[in-house]
Amino acid sequence: LAHISFGSGVFIGKDVLLRPPQTATLSSSSSSSSSATGGSKIKSGIVDDGPQFMAVTIGDNVVIGDGAVVCASRINNFARIGTRAVIESRCVLGEGCDVEDGAVLPAGTVVPSFHRVRGCPAVIVSELPFCWRDIRRIEVESLFKRAFSKRK
């Protein structure tokens, strides 16, 4: 299993898929055999316990919209991922970045801090003001208030 760490004030919408990026796998051309290692396979003297996953870090005050698919390795503070956006494997989202609704970030993409991306494949469309952090913090507080007021 992979380790996913969440900062404070992370808001995750409905039907979101958080899938840690998979690391490189061993070559299948090696000979393999089951052994007494609890079902592990041994390939050329290397124990293969199946797929390995990278750790995922999600910073503070991050918003992930409904239906998003996220395979990023790092999402920094105050980032926003829009509804139905797709963040492919090993992407890094800088502080305060904004991924618009429906955007698709190809594998390995790095979005610089305080930039907005859109499209398929996603491209940078604008730079965001430094006050974006304050805007995001207010948005997260509002989302939590709405979510918890519905439960009463």
Side-chain angles (χ1 to χ4, degrees), residues 36-48:
T37 59
S40 299
K41 294 182 180 178
I42 298 178
K43 297 183 178 186
S44 301
I46 300 172
V47 176
D48 178 9

Side-chain angles (χ1 to χ4, degrees), residues 14-146:
K14 292 185 269 184
D15 302 320
V16 169
L17 174 62
L18 289 175
R19 187 174 61 205
Q22 190 172 344
T23 61
T25 58
L26 297 173
S27 170
S28 60
S29 63
S30 310
S31 63
S32 64
S33 63
S34 286
S35 66
T37 59
S40 299
K41 294 182 180 178
I42 298 178
K43 297 183 178 186
S44 301
I46 300 172
V47 176
D48 178 9
D49 288 326
Q52 301 296 313
F53 297 94
M54 299 172 66
V56 177
T57 303
I58 299 176
D60 298 336
N61 296 300
V62 169
V63 175
I64 301 175
D66 295 344
V69 177
V70 181
C71 300
S73 56
R74 182 159 184 83
I75 302 170
N76 285 298
N77 300 339
F78 306 104
R80 177 191 164 276
I81 298 171
T83 302
R84 294 180 314 281
V86 176
I87 313 298
E88 293 183 358
S89 186
R90 298 177 316 279
C91 290
V92 176
L93 306 182
E95 182 176 354
C97 75
D98 185 39
V99 179
E100 291 197 353
D101 296 348
V104 177
L105 268 70
T109 301
V110 176
V111 179
S113 295
F114 301 104
H115 281 79
R116 175 174 284 137
V117 296
R118 87 165 54 117
C120 178
V123 295
I124 294 173
V125 294
S126 65
E127 192 170 346
L128 299 168
F130 191 71
C131 67
W132 190 249
R133 281 194 268 180
D134 297 326
I135 294 167
R136 179 68 57 235
R137 186 179 295 117
I138 292 167
E139 178 187 12
V140 168
E141 288 172 5
S142 172
L143 287 168
F144 274 105
K145 283 179 185 173
R146 258 188 301 171

